[in-house]
Amino acid sequence: GEGGKDEKIKKMREKVEQTQALQQKRILRELEPKCWEKLAEQGYFQKAEDSLNSAAALECEENGESERYARLLHAVGALYDFRSNSDVTGQQQALSIVSAKYCCESAKALRVIVSARGDTCERELTSLLAAVLLLRGRSLCNSA
């Protein structure tokens, strides 16, 4: 009867929603941190920020504050730095402060990784930490 039909439709909808959620997670897992550059060039700042933040949240949930997590946060910081440098609305200081905040979080995660690995830490990771700290410093200067 009607009840069975409603239940069948409900189950189908749940299956579709579950499939969509799994697809979204797969997309976020494959998201390249540098994707913000192309999106920002096209003016899609919010889409870039939302995508990077969602990918970072998923990464942190699944793998903790990993190197990828730090790279994603650094990318959000770089996005805000880009926005602050091209800002004409008087929001440059505020954007720079947000950039510095993301860089601070990224650096915190990287420091933990670097100290845990000790001597086996790759040059690439220490250069990333240096780049994050440099961007944080620049953002703090821009916000003054």
Side-chain angles (χ1 to χ4, degrees):
E2 276 304 306
K5 197 175 187 181
D6 288 344
E7 189 61 34
K8 193 174 184 179
I9 289 170
K10 183 181 174 198
K11 284 194 185 303
M12 285 173 60
R13 188 179 67 238
E14 286 172 357
K15 187 170 174 67
V16 167
E17 288 170 357
Q18 189 177 24
T19 302
Q20 287 173 334
L22 289 172
Q23 281 180 315
Q24 182 62 26
K25 281 185 173 184
R26 184 182 53 77
I27 290 166
L28 290 173
R29 282 186 198 108
E30 294 172 0
L31 187 76
E32 280 297 318
K34 285 190 169 280
C35 75
W36 73 266
E37 293 170 357
K38 281 197 174 97
L39 290 168
E41 284 171 11
Q42 298 167 5
Y44 296 119
F45 298 114
Q46 196 59 55
K47 180 171 178 46
E49 181 186 356
D50 292 346
S51 300
L52 290 167
N53 275 325
S54 295
L58 180 64
E59 178 65 22
C60 191
E61 178 186 308
E62 293 181 345
N63 302 308
E65 292 185 358
S66 64
E67 182 181 339
R68 174 170 165 73
Y69 173 76
R71 286 182 185 281
L72 289 162
L73 292 182
H74 177 232
V76 181
L79 171 67
Y80 270 95
D81 180 63
F82 178 87
R83 284 182 66 183
S84 99
N85 290 326
S86 56
D87 181 68
V88 291
T89 64
Q91 295 293 308
Q92 185 175 13
Q93 281 184 304
L95 294 167
S96 292
I97 288 169
V98 175
S99 172
K101 184 188 90 161
Y102 276 101
C103 289
C104 192
E105 288 302 308
S106 176
K108 193 170 77 176
L110 283 170
R111 280 193 191 103
V112 170
I113 295 165
V114 168
S115 68
R117 291 187 188 170
D119 293 341
T120 63
C121 189
E122 308 95 42
R123 180 173 283 129
E124 184 186 338
L125 204 56
T126 50
S127 341
L128 175 61
L129 179 56
V132 168
L133 293 173
L134 185 66
L135 179 58
R136 178 176 163 239
R138 188 172 74 206
S139 294
L140 288 172
C141 288
N142 288 342
S143 70

